Amino acid sequence: MKIYPYKRLNRPVTLRVTSVSLKLSDGTRDQLETTAYSTQQQAVALGIAGHSDWVSATIGLSATLPPGADAPDAAWSDLRVLAVLTDGETNVRTSTDLTRDTEDGRDWSGSLEVLRDNHLGRASLAVHAVGTVDGVRGRSIAETDRNWIIDTVSEDPVRGLQLDVQKASFSRSAREWLHSYADVPWIVDTSARVPTVFVNTDVEGVLGMLDSSGSGLDSKVRDLLVAQMATDVWTAVFHGAIGDLEVEPGGGPVFPTDWQGDVLREMLPDVIPGVHVEEALRQVHRRRTGDSGWVELQTRIHYAAARRADATKALAYAIRSLEQMNRESEK
């Protein structure tokens, strides 16, 4: 966790999305159903209504401050609660004040407008409680510990890693950089807006196996192949995310606000177990940029990737299928 030179609240702000509506190009408004947002996933999917002509979205918000925010002996004054939407890809930052529901309550509510032209994909929504401390205005008193994802494209309100899978002949592709990888079945490109997996159609059988919908051993081999691909993907996106961090003036790394931040928050608990994700990020950053510890960390990174790919389950299923085939052939 960050260390602040002043008193703060010890617990995070709780944030909930209460409504979502779209303003269409003809001036009408479409109030979306609750399936457009997920409290469990903490995600909003603005593409769920199928509109191609929406101009802006209005997201209703409710935030609850932790106890002590209005304590008589609080070290701060001029308490404000701000909802802040940050898009790391377009560098757009939008904020709005929330209003206290009751005079002495801890619940604050309001709405945030999301302009479609300001965003290409995903943005990150957080709430900050700020106040005046020691004569300094706008100091952070508390904030959400897990931001909501506002996805302007997706039809599903999920946080999970989004991938673009493309098929290409690596040896003949118009993307000349793929020519160097003509002898591998797939390659992961983490430089794109959305991580992209290119599947090499030149490798005999790989495309048919991945597209297979059969049962029996074929399905188990397909699952094993997909698990291997997923392990490669998770490993690649982790390295892509950790290698492109912004650093604060004091030298500490900052969590990205796009898919890279999602990947790091998902994998860091397995890479550096037992500590808060912010501390885990600092430790990994120090090892990567320091003199030692980065090589030893590769085992933990591969472990975290394999877990998310369900590689063990896929391998176990394939082995059991082979054993069953062998037993049947011996009868």
mmCIF file of all heavy atoms in Angstrom, residues 163-210:
data_model
loop_
_atom_site.group_PDB
_atom_site.id
_atom_site.type_symbol
_atom_site.label_atom_id
_atom_site.label_comp_id
_atom_site.label_asym_id
_atom_site.label_seq_id
_atom_site.Cartn_x
_atom_site.Cartn_y
_atom_site.Cartn_z
ATOM 1 N N LEU A 163 -9.256 -10.982 -25.930
ATOM 2 C CA LEU A 163 -8.257 -11.332 -26.935
ATOM 3 C C LEU A 163 -8.865 -11.228 -28.334
ATOM 4 O O LEU A 163 -10.048 -11.471 -28.526
ATOM 5 C CB LEU A 163 -7.748 -12.757 -26.721
ATOM 6 C CG LEU A 163 -6.935 -13.044 -25.472
ATOM 7 C CD1 LEU A 163 -6.662 -14.533 -25.371
ATOM 8 C CD2 LEU A 163 -5.627 -12.269 -25.475
ATOM 9 N N ASP A 164 -8.027 -10.892 -29.268
ATOM 10 C CA ASP A 164 -8.403 -10.947 -30.679
ATOM 11 C C ASP A 164 -7.624 -12.103 -31.294
ATOM 12 O O ASP A 164 -6.388 -12.122 -31.238
ATOM 13 C CB ASP A 164 -8.047 -9.624 -31.362
ATOM 14 C CG ASP A 164 -8.459 -9.607 -32.830
ATOM 15 O OD1 ASP A 164 -9.261 -10.475 -33.224
ATOM 16 O OD2 ASP A 164 -7.973 -8.731 -33.563
ATOM 17 N N VAL A 165 -8.327 -13.107 -31.807
ATOM 18 C CA VAL A 165 -7.677 -14.268 -32.419
ATOM 19 C C VAL A 165 -7.811 -14.146 -33.933
ATOM 20 O O VAL A 165 -8.918 -14.028 -34.456
ATOM 21 C CB VAL A 165 -8.304 -15.577 -31.928
ATOM 22 C CG1 VAL A 165 -7.634 -16.780 -32.591
ATOM 23 C CG2 VAL A 165 -8.197 -15.686 -30.407
ATOM 24 N N GLN A 166 -6.673 -14.168 -34.627
ATOM 25 C CA GLN A 166 -6.670 -14.048 -36.080
ATOM 26 C C GLN A 166 -5.896 -15.211 -36.692
ATOM 27 O O GLN A 166 -4.892 -15.663 -36.145
ATOM 28 C CB GLN A 166 -6.041 -12.718 -36.511
ATOM 29 C CG GLN A 166 -6.807 -11.487 -36.034
ATOM 30 C CD GLN A 166 -6.297 -10.218 -36.670
ATOM 31 O OE1 GLN A 166 -5.707 -10.228 -37.750
ATOM 32 N NE2 GLN A 166 -6.534 -9.088 -36.005
ATOM 33 N N LYS A 167 -6.375 -15.674 -37.843
ATOM 34 C CA LYS A 167 -5.711 -16.751 -38.576
ATOM 35 C C LYS A 167 -4.924 -16.146 -39.729
ATOM 36 O O LYS A 167 -5.421 -15.258 -40.427
ATOM 37 C CB LYS A 167 -6.744 -17.750 -39.099
ATOM 38 C CG LYS A 167 -7.647 -18.313 -38.020
ATOM 39 C CD LYS A 167 -8.844 -19.032 -38.615
ATOM 40 C CE LYS A 167 -9.822 -19.458 -37.533
ATOM 41 N NZ LYS A 167 -11.058 -20.061 -38.086
ATOM 42 N N ALA A 168 -3.715 -16.640 -39.928
ATOM 43 C CA ALA A 168 -2.890 -16.076 -40.994
ATOM 44 C C ALA A 168 -1.831 -17.089 -41.418
ATOM 45 O O ALA A 168 -1.381 -17.917 -40.622
ATOM 46 C CB ALA A 168 -2.204 -14.792 -40.536
ATOM 47 N N SER A 169 -1.483 -17.027 -42.689
ATOM 48 C CA SER A 169 -0.335 -17.784 -43.186
ATOM 49 C C SER A 169 0.911 -16.971 -42.867
ATOM 50 O O SER A 169 1.153 -15.927 -43.462
ATOM 51 C CB SER A 169 -0.448 -17.998 -44.702
ATOM 52 O OG SER A 169 0.775 -18.471 -45.226
ATOM 53 N N PHE A 170 1.694 -17.426 -41.887
ATOM 54 C CA PHE A 170 2.830 -16.625 -41.437
ATOM 55 C C PHE A 170 3.842 -16.401 -42.555
ATOM 56 O O PHE A 170 4.483 -15.354 -42.618
ATOM 57 C CB PHE A 170 3.516 -17.306 -40.253
ATOM 58 C CG PHE A 170 2.770 -17.174 -38.948
ATOM 59 C CD1 PHE A 170 1.433 -16.786 -38.926
ATOM 60 C CD2 PHE A 170 3.397 -17.424 -37.732
ATOM 61 C CE1 PHE A 170 0.742 -16.663 -37.728
ATOM 62 C CE2 PHE A 170 2.723 -17.294 -36.536
ATOM 63 C CZ PHE A 170 1.395 -16.925 -36.526
ATOM 64 N N SER A 171 3.990 -17.384 -43.444
ATOM 65 C CA SER A 171 5.000 -17.271 -44.499
ATOM 66 C C SER A 171 4.570 -16.334 -45.624
ATOM 67 O O SER A 171 5.417 -15.781 -46.340
ATOM 68 C CB SER A 171 5.316 -18.651 -45.072
ATOM 69 O OG SER A 171 4.151 -19.222 -45.666
ATOM 70 N N ARG A 172 3.254 -16.141 -45.788
ATOM 71 C CA ARG A 172 2.774 -15.319 -46.892
ATOM 72 C C ARG A 172 1.979 -14.090 -46.433
ATOM 73 O O ARG A 172 1.408 -13.381 -47.257
ATOM 74 C CB ARG A 172 1.883 -16.167 -47.821
ATOM 75 C CG ARG A 172 2.607 -17.342 -48.458
ATOM 76 C CD ARG A 172 1.727 -18.070 -49.459
ATOM 77 N NE ARG A 172 0.552 -18.660 -48.831
ATOM 78 C CZ ARG A 172 0.547 -19.855 -48.243
ATOM 79 N NH1 ARG A 172 1.664 -20.579 -48.196
ATOM 80 N NH2 ARG A 172 -0.559 -20.336 -47.700
ATOM 81 N N SER A 173 1.938 -13.852 -45.149
ATOM 82 C CA SER A 173 1.125 -12.755 -44.618
ATOM 83 C C SER A 173 1.631 -11.393 -45.073
ATOM 84 O O SER A 173 2.837 -11.187 -45.266
ATOM 85 C CB SER A 173 1.118 -12.798 -43.080
ATOM 86 O OG SER A 173 0.446 -11.669 -42.545
ATOM 87 N N ALA A 174 0.702 -10.459 -45.253
ATOM 88 C CA ALA A 174 1.076 -9.075 -45.555
ATOM 89 C C ALA A 174 1.776 -8.429 -44.370
ATOM 90 O O ALA A 174 2.481 -7.421 -44.531
ATOM 91 C CB ALA A 174 -0.174 -8.275 -45.932
ATOM 92 N N ARG A 175 1.595 -8.983 -43.189
ATOM 93 C CA ARG A 175 2.348 -8.529 -42.005
ATOM 94 C C ARG A 175 3.728 -9.172 -42.061
ATOM 95 O O ARG A 175 3.925 -10.305 -41.627
ATOM 96 C CB ARG A 175 1.619 -8.931 -40.720
ATOM 97 C CG ARG A 175 0.231 -8.326 -40.571
ATOM 98 C CD ARG A 175 -0.383 -8.806 -39.254
ATOM 99 N NE ARG A 175 -1.700 -8.235 -39.029
ATOM 100 C CZ ARG A 175 -2.848 -8.771 -39.448
ATOM 101 N NH1 ARG A 175 -2.822 -9.899 -40.160
ATOM 102 N NH2 ARG A 175 -4.002 -8.191 -39.200
ATOM 103 N N GLU A 176 4.672 -8.442 -42.586
ATOM 104 C CA GLU A 176 5.988 -9.021 -42.848
ATOM 105 C C GLU A 176 6.673 -9.526 -41.581
ATOM 106 O O GLU A 176 7.492 -10.453 -41.641
ATOM 107 C CB GLU A 176 6.872 -7.990 -43.557
ATOM 108 C CG GLU A 176 6.385 -7.650 -44.967
ATOM 109 C CD GLU A 176 7.366 -6.769 -45.713
ATOM 110 O OE1 GLU A 176 8.425 -6.440 -45.127
ATOM 111 O OE2 GLU A 176 7.079 -6.398 -46.867
ATOM 112 N N TRP A 177 6.351 -8.937 -40.431
ATOM 113 C CA TRP A 177 7.016 -9.366 -39.204
ATOM 114 C C TRP A 177 6.656 -10.807 -38.837
ATOM 115 O O TRP A 177 7.406 -11.478 -38.122
ATOM 116 C CB TRP A 177 6.685 -8.425 -38.054
ATOM 117 C CG TRP A 177 5.232 -8.386 -37.654
ATOM 118 C CD1 TRP A 177 4.257 -7.588 -38.160
ATOM 119 C CD2 TRP A 177 4.604 -9.193 -36.659
ATOM 120 N NE1 TRP A 177 3.057 -7.838 -37.541
ATOM 121 C CE2 TRP A 177 3.230 -8.817 -36.605
ATOM 122 C CE3 TRP A 177 5.046 -10.199 -35.788
ATOM 123 C CZ2 TRP A 177 2.323 -9.398 -35.736
ATOM 124 C CZ3 TRP A 177 4.136 -10.786 -34.909
ATOM 125 C CH2 TRP A 177 2.791 -10.379 -34.900
ATOM 126 N N LEU A 178 5.515 -11.315 -39.373
ATOM 127 C CA LEU A 178 5.136 -12.698 -39.097
ATOM 128 C C LEU A 178 6.014 -13.706 -39.837
ATOM 129 O O LEU A 178 6.088 -14.874 -39.447
ATOM 130 C CB LEU A 178 3.669 -12.929 -39.476
ATOM 131 C CG LEU A 178 2.601 -12.374 -38.523
ATOM 132 C CD1 LEU A 178 1.215 -12.593 -39.111
ATOM 133 C CD2 LEU A 178 2.697 -13.025 -37.145
ATOM 134 N N HIS A 179 6.675 -13.274 -40.908
ATOM 135 C CA HIS A 179 7.493 -14.194 -41.705
ATOM 136 C C HIS A 179 8.581 -14.853 -40.861
ATOM 137 O O HIS A 179 8.959 -16.008 -41.111
ATOM 138 C CB HIS A 179 8.131 -13.460 -42.885
ATOM 139 C CG HIS A 179 7.127 -12.900 -43.849
ATOM 140 N ND1 HIS A 179 7.485 -12.169 -44.970
ATOM 141 C CD2 HIS A 179 5.767 -12.972 -43.887
ATOM 142 C CE1 HIS A 179 6.396 -11.801 -45.621
ATOM 143 N NE2 HIS A 179 5.340 -12.280 -44.982
ATOM 144 N N SER A 180 9.075 -14.141 -39.867
ATOM 145 C CA SER A 180 10.161 -14.678 -39.034
ATOM 146 C C SER A 180 9.692 -15.796 -38.110
ATOM 147 O O SER A 180 10.515 -16.504 -37.522
ATOM 148 C CB SER A 180 10.770 -13.559 -38.187
ATOM 149 O OG SER A 180 11.290 -12.533 -38.995
ATOM 150 N N TYR A 181 8.375 -15.955 -37.991
ATOM 151 C CA TYR A 181 7.840 -16.951 -37.067
ATOM 152 C C TYR A 181 7.096 -18.059 -37.817
ATOM 153 O O TYR A 181 6.186 -18.692 -37.278
ATOM 154 C CB TYR A 181 6.879 -16.273 -36.078
ATOM 155 C CG TYR A 181 7.498 -15.100 -35.360
ATOM 156 C CD1 TYR A 181 7.180 -13.790 -35.728
ATOM 157 C CD2 TYR A 181 8.415 -15.293 -34.328
ATOM 158 C CE1 TYR A 181 7.744 -12.708 -35.076
ATOM 159 C CE2 TYR A 181 8.989 -14.215 -33.672
ATOM 160 C CZ TYR A 181 8.646 -12.926 -34.050
ATOM 161 O OH TYR A 181 9.221 -11.860 -33.410
ATOM 162 N N ALA A 182 7.489 -18.315 -39.043
ATOM 163 C CA ALA A 182 6.760 -19.240 -39.911
ATOM 164 C C ALA A 182 6.772 -20.677 -39.408
ATOM 165 O O ALA A 182 5.957 -21.495 -39.855
ATOM 166 C CB ALA A 182 7.335 -19.185 -41.326
ATOM 167 N N ASP A 183 7.645 -21.025 -38.472
ATOM 168 C CA ASP A 183 7.740 -22.416 -38.022
ATOM 169 C C ASP A 183 7.065 -22.652 -36.667
ATOM 170 O O ASP A 183 7.240 -23.712 -36.062
ATOM 171 C CB ASP A 183 9.198 -22.856 -37.947
ATOM 172 C CG ASP A 183 10.035 -21.978 -37.033
ATOM 173 O OD1 ASP A 183 9.579 -20.862 -36.711
ATOM 174 O OD2 ASP A 183 11.145 -22.394 -36.652
ATOM 175 N N VAL A 184 6.292 -21.682 -36.158
ATOM 176 C CA VAL A 184 5.593 -21.878 -34.886
ATOM 177 C C VAL A 184 4.080 -21.871 -35.133
ATOM 178 O O VAL A 184 3.596 -21.256 -36.095
ATOM 179 C CB VAL A 184 5.964 -20.785 -33.858
ATOM 180 C CG1 VAL A 184 7.447 -20.823 -33.534
ATOM 181 C CG2 VAL A 184 5.561 -19.392 -34.351
ATOM 182 N N PRO A 185 3.306 -22.559 -34.289
ATOM 183 C CA PRO A 185 1.857 -22.665 -34.541
ATOM 184 C C PRO A 185 1.077 -21.393 -34.225
ATOM 185 O O PRO A 185 0.010 -21.167 -34.788
ATOM 186 C CB PRO A 185 1.424 -23.808 -33.628
ATOM 187 C CG PRO A 185 2.441 -23.830 -32.532
ATOM 188 C CD PRO A 185 3.733 -23.418 -33.178
ATOM 189 N N TRP A 186 1.585 -20.571 -33.314
ATOM 190 C CA TRP A 186 0.903 -19.312 -32.997
ATOM 191 C C TRP A 186 1.899 -18.339 -32.376
ATOM 192 O O TRP A 186 2.985 -18.722 -31.924
ATOM 193 C CB TRP A 186 -0.279 -19.536 -32.049
ATOM 194 C CG TRP A 186 0.076 -20.222 -30.760
ATOM 195 C CD1 TRP A 186 0.740 -19.701 -29.687
ATOM 196 C CD2 TRP A 186 -0.212 -21.580 -30.427
ATOM 197 N NE1 TRP A 186 0.887 -20.643 -28.704
ATOM 198 C CE2 TRP A 186 0.305 -21.799 -29.118
ATOM 199 C CE3 TRP A 186 -0.879 -22.614 -31.083
ATOM 200 C CZ2 TRP A 186 0.191 -23.029 -28.473
ATOM 201 C CZ3 TRP A 186 -0.989 -23.836 -30.431
ATOM 202 C CH2 TRP A 186 -0.461 -24.039 -29.151
ATOM 203 N N ILE A 187 1.515 -17.084 -32.373
ATOM 204 C CA ILE A 187 2.347 -16.036 -31.785
ATOM 205 C C ILE A 187 1.416 -15.020 -31.128
ATOM 206 O O ILE A 187 0.279 -14.819 -31.592
ATOM 207 C CB ILE A 187 3.246 -15.354 -32.848
ATOM 208 C CG1 ILE A 187 4.468 -14.710 -32.196
ATOM 209 C CG2 ILE A 187 2.480 -14.357 -33.679
ATOM 210 C CD1 ILE A 187 5.527 -15.695 -31.782
ATOM 211 N N VAL A 188 1.857 -14.396 -30.040
ATOM 212 C CA VAL A 188 1.041 -13.428 -29.305
ATOM 213 C C VAL A 188 1.630 -12.030 -29.500
ATOM 214 O O VAL A 188 2.822 -11.807 -29.275
ATOM 215 C CB VAL A 188 0.994 -13.758 -27.800
ATOM 216 C CG1 VAL A 188 0.055 -12.792 -27.070
ATOM 217 C CG2 VAL A 188 0.556 -15.197 -27.581
ATOM 218 N N ASP A 189 0.779 -11.106 -29.928
ATOM 219 C CA ASP A 189 1.180 -9.707 -30.121
ATOM 220 C C ASP A 189 0.534 -8.875 -29.027
ATOM 221 O O ASP A 189 -0.685 -8.692 -29.000
ATOM 222 C CB ASP A 189 0.740 -9.223 -31.499
ATOM 223 C CG ASP A 189 1.084 -7.753 -31.737
ATOM 224 O OD1 ASP A 189 1.927 -7.207 -30.993
ATOM 225 O OD2 ASP A 189 0.515 -7.149 -32.662
ATOM 226 N N THR A 190 1.342 -8.356 -28.095
ATOM 227 C CA THR A 190 0.818 -7.557 -26.991
ATOM 228 C C THR A 190 0.939 -6.062 -27.245
ATOM 229 O O THR A 190 0.634 -5.256 -26.368
ATOM 230 C CB THR A 190 1.548 -7.895 -25.675
ATOM 231 O OG1 THR A 190 2.946 -7.593 -25.812
ATOM 232 C CG2 THR A 190 1.373 -9.362 -25.332
ATOM 233 N N SER A 191 1.371 -5.672 -28.438
ATOM 234 C CA SER A 191 1.535 -4.250 -28.735
ATOM 235 C C SER A 191 0.244 -3.608 -29.231
ATOM 236 O O SER A 191 0.140 -2.390 -29.293
ATOM 237 C CB SER A 191 2.630 -4.053 -29.786
ATOM 238 O OG SER A 191 2.261 -4.640 -31.021
ATOM 239 N N ALA A 192 -0.741 -4.431 -29.583
ATOM 240 C CA ALA A 192 -2.001 -3.907 -30.110
ATOM 241 C C ALA A 192 -2.890 -3.398 -28.980
ATOM 242 O O ALA A 192 -2.628 -3.637 -27.796
ATOM 243 C CB ALA A 192 -2.728 -4.993 -30.897
ATOM 244 N N ARG A 193 -3.971 -2.672 -29.348
ATOM 245 C CA ARG A 193 -4.915 -2.163 -28.351
ATOM 246 C C ARG A 193 -5.516 -3.301 -27.540
ATOM 247 O O ARG A 193 -5.703 -3.200 -26.335
ATOM 248 C CB ARG A 193 -6.026 -1.372 -29.046
ATOM 249 C CG ARG A 193 -7.060 -0.783 -28.106
ATOM 250 C CD ARG A 193 -8.072 0.052 -28.854
ATOM 251 N NE ARG A 193 -8.881 -0.748 -29.765
ATOM 252 C CZ ARG A 193 -9.990 -1.386 -29.397
ATOM 253 N NH1 ARG A 193 -10.393 -1.340 -28.147
ATOM 254 N NH2 ARG A 193 -10.696 -2.074 -30.273
ATOM 255 N N VAL A 194 -5.836 -4.396 -28.220
ATOM 256 C CA VAL A 194 -6.274 -5.626 -27.568
ATOM 257 C C VAL A 194 -5.260 -6.700 -27.912
ATOM 258 O O VAL A 194 -4.878 -6.848 -29.078
ATOM 259 C CB VAL A 194 -7.676 -6.041 -28.066
ATOM 260 C CG1 VAL A 194 -8.078 -7.380 -27.481
ATOM 261 C CG2 VAL A 194 -8.700 -4.973 -27.706
ATOM 262 N N PRO A 195 -4.745 -7.458 -26.926
ATOM 263 C CA PRO A 195 -3.777 -8.506 -27.230
ATOM 264 C C PRO A 195 -4.304 -9.437 -28.320
ATOM 265 O O PRO A 195 -5.469 -9.844 -28.293
ATOM 266 C CB PRO A 195 -3.624 -9.248 -25.900
ATOM 267 C CG PRO A 195 -4.008 -8.248 -24.867
ATOM 268 C CD PRO A 195 -5.068 -7.391 -25.487
ATOM 269 N N THR A 196 -3.444 -9.760 -29.278
ATOM 270 C CA THR A 196 -3.871 -10.536 -30.444
ATOM 271 C C THR A 196 -3.065 -11.823 -30.544
ATOM 272 O O THR A 196 -1.840 -11.806 -30.434
ATOM 273 C CB THR A 196 -3.696 -9.719 -31.734
ATOM 274 O OG1 THR A 196 -4.453 -8.507 -31.631
ATOM 275 C CG2 THR A 196 -4.172 -10.504 -32.939
ATOM 276 N N VAL A 197 -3.784 -12.941 -30.744
ATOM 277 C CA VAL A 197 -3.141 -14.227 -30.996
ATOM 278 C C VAL A 197 -3.272 -14.526 -32.482
ATOM 279 O O VAL A 197 -4.373 -14.601 -33.019
ATOM 280 C CB VAL A 197 -3.805 -15.355 -30.178
ATOM 281 C CG1 VAL A 197 -3.094 -16.683 -30.440
ATOM 282 C CG2 VAL A 197 -3.784 -15.024 -28.690
ATOM 283 N N PHE A 198 -2.135 -14.665 -33.145
ATOM 284 C CA PHE A 198 -2.122 -15.052 -34.556
ATOM 285 C C PHE A 198 -1.880 -16.549 -34.634
ATOM 286 O O PHE A 198 -0.877 -17.064 -34.122
ATOM 287 C CB PHE A 198 -1.022 -14.298 -35.313
ATOM 288 C CG PHE A 198 -1.305 -12.834 -35.502
ATOM 289 C CD1 PHE A 198 -0.779 -11.896 -34.625
ATOM 290 C CD2 PHE A 198 -2.101 -12.389 -36.547
ATOM 291 C CE1 PHE A 198 -1.039 -10.544 -34.789
ATOM 292 C CE2 PHE A 198 -2.367 -11.036 -36.724
ATOM 293 C CZ PHE A 198 -1.836 -10.113 -35.843
ATOM 294 N N VAL A 199 -2.812 -17.276 -35.273
ATOM 295 C CA VAL A 199 -2.676 -18.723 -35.449
ATOM 296 C C VAL A 199 -2.141 -18.981 -36.857
ATOM 297 O O VAL A 199 -2.684 -18.478 -37.845
ATOM 298 C CB VAL A 199 -4.036 -19.426 -35.259
ATOM 299 C CG1 VAL A 199 -3.895 -20.923 -35.487
ATOM 300 C CG2 VAL A 199 -4.585 -19.145 -33.872
ATOM 301 N N ASN A 200 -1.090 -19.770 -36.937
ATOM 302 C CA ASN A 200 -0.387 -20.006 -38.195
ATOM 303 C C ASN A 200 -1.072 -21.116 -38.998
ATOM 304 O O ASN A 200 -1.013 -22.304 -38.646
ATOM 305 C CB ASN A 200 1.062 -20.391 -37.904
ATOM 306 C CG ASN A 200 1.898 -20.434 -39.152
ATOM 307 O OD1 ASN A 200 1.420 -20.184 -40.258
ATOM 308 N ND2 ASN A 200 3.180 -20.745 -38.983
ATOM 309 N N THR A 201 -1.734 -20.739 -40.072
ATOM 310 C CA THR A 201 -2.429 -21.726 -40.906
ATOM 311 C C THR A 201 -1.461 -22.596 -41.693
ATOM 312 O O THR A 201 -1.880 -23.586 -42.306
ATOM 313 C CB THR A 201 -3.396 -21.022 -41.876
ATOM 314 O OG1 THR A 201 -2.650 -20.104 -42.705
ATOM 315 C CG2 THR A 201 -4.460 -20.246 -41.118
ATOM 316 N N ASP A 202 -0.162 -22.248 -41.711
ATOM 317 C CA ASP A 202 0.829 -23.059 -42.421
ATOM 318 C C ASP A 202 1.162 -24.343 -41.682
ATOM 319 O O ASP A 202 1.673 -25.297 -42.283
ATOM 320 C CB ASP A 202 2.130 -22.262 -42.624
ATOM 321 C CG ASP A 202 1.941 -21.071 -43.540
ATOM 322 O OD1 ASP A 202 1.009 -21.112 -44.361
ATOM 323 O OD2 ASP A 202 2.713 -20.098 -43.419
ATOM 324 N N VAL A 203 0.896 -24.371 -40.374
ATOM 325 C CA VAL A 203 1.211 -25.561 -39.579
ATOM 326 C C VAL A 203 0.084 -26.573 -39.769
ATOM 327 O O VAL A 203 -1.061 -26.333 -39.376
ATOM 328 C CB VAL A 203 1.379 -25.203 -38.093
ATOM 329 C CG1 VAL A 203 1.634 -26.464 -37.267
ATOM 330 C CG2 VAL A 203 2.533 -24.214 -37.915
ATOM 331 N N GLU A 204 0.411 -27.691 -40.367
ATOM 332 C CA GLU A 204 -0.594 -28.676 -40.762
ATOM 333 C C GLU A 204 -1.359 -29.208 -39.549
ATOM 334 O O GLU A 204 -0.761 -29.645 -38.561
ATOM 335 C CB GLU A 204 0.077 -29.842 -41.486
ATOM 336 C CG GLU A 204 -0.896 -30.867 -42.031
ATOM 337 C CD GLU A 204 -0.192 -31.968 -42.808
ATOM 338 O OE1 GLU A 204 1.042 -31.884 -42.969
ATOM 339 O OE2 GLU A 204 -0.898 -32.902 -43.243
ATOM 340 N N GLY A 205 -2.669 -29.139 -39.627
ATOM 341 C CA GLY A 205 -3.525 -29.735 -38.606
ATOM 342 C C GLY A 205 -3.898 -28.846 -37.440
ATOM 343 O O GLY A 205 -4.884 -29.119 -36.753
ATOM 344 N N VAL A 206 -3.147 -27.776 -37.182
ATOM 345 C CA VAL A 206 -3.401 -26.987 -35.972
ATOM 346 C C VAL A 206 -4.741 -26.274 -36.057
ATOM 347 O O VAL A 206 -5.500 -26.218 -35.080
ATOM 348 C CB VAL A 206 -2.248 -25.996 -35.713
ATOM 349 C CG1 VAL A 206 -2.166 -24.931 -36.803
ATOM 350 C CG2 VAL A 206 -2.437 -25.334 -34.350
ATOM 351 N N LEU A 207 -5.061 -25.748 -37.231
ATOM 352 C CA LEU A 207 -6.318 -25.014 -37.375
ATOM 353 C C LEU A 207 -7.513 -25.957 -37.242
ATOM 354 O O LEU A 207 -8.503 -25.647 -36.573
ATOM 355 C CB LEU A 207 -6.350 -24.292 -38.717
ATOM 356 C CG LEU A 207 -7.377 -23.158 -38.855
ATOM 357 C CD1 LEU A 207 -7.141 -22.097 -37.806
ATOM 358 C CD2 LEU A 207 -7.307 -22.558 -40.254
ATOM 359 N N GLY A 208 -7.414 -27.130 -37.886
ATOM 360 C CA GLY A 208 -8.496 -28.098 -37.793
ATOM 361 C C GLY A 208 -8.705 -28.592 -36.378
ATOM 362 O O GLY A 208 -9.845 -28.796 -35.939
ATOM 363 N N MET A 209 -7.603 -28.764 -35.647
ATOM 364 C CA MET A 209 -7.723 -29.234 -34.275
ATOM 365 C C MET A 209 -8.366 -28.177 -33.384
ATOM 366 O O MET A 209 -9.231 -28.458 -32.557
ATOM 367 C CB MET A 209 -6.344 -29.617 -33.730
ATOM 368 C CG MET A 209 -6.378 -30.179 -32.312
ATOM 369 S SD MET A 209 -7.408 -31.671 -32.171
ATOM 370 C CE MET A 209 -6.426 -32.847 -33.103
ATOM 371 N N LEU A 210 -7.960 -26.915 -33.560
ATOM 372 C CA LEU A 210 -8.526 -25.839 -32.748
ATOM 373 C C LEU A 210 -9.998 -25.629 -33.033
ATOM 374 O O LEU A 210 -10.776 -25.267 -32.143
ATOM 375 C CB LEU A 210 -7.753 -24.533 -32.986
ATOM 376 C CG LEU A 210 -6.335 -24.470 -32.419
ATOM 377 C CD1 LEU A 210 -5.646 -23.187 -32.868
ATOM 378 C CD2 LEU A 210 -6.351 -24.552 -30.892
#
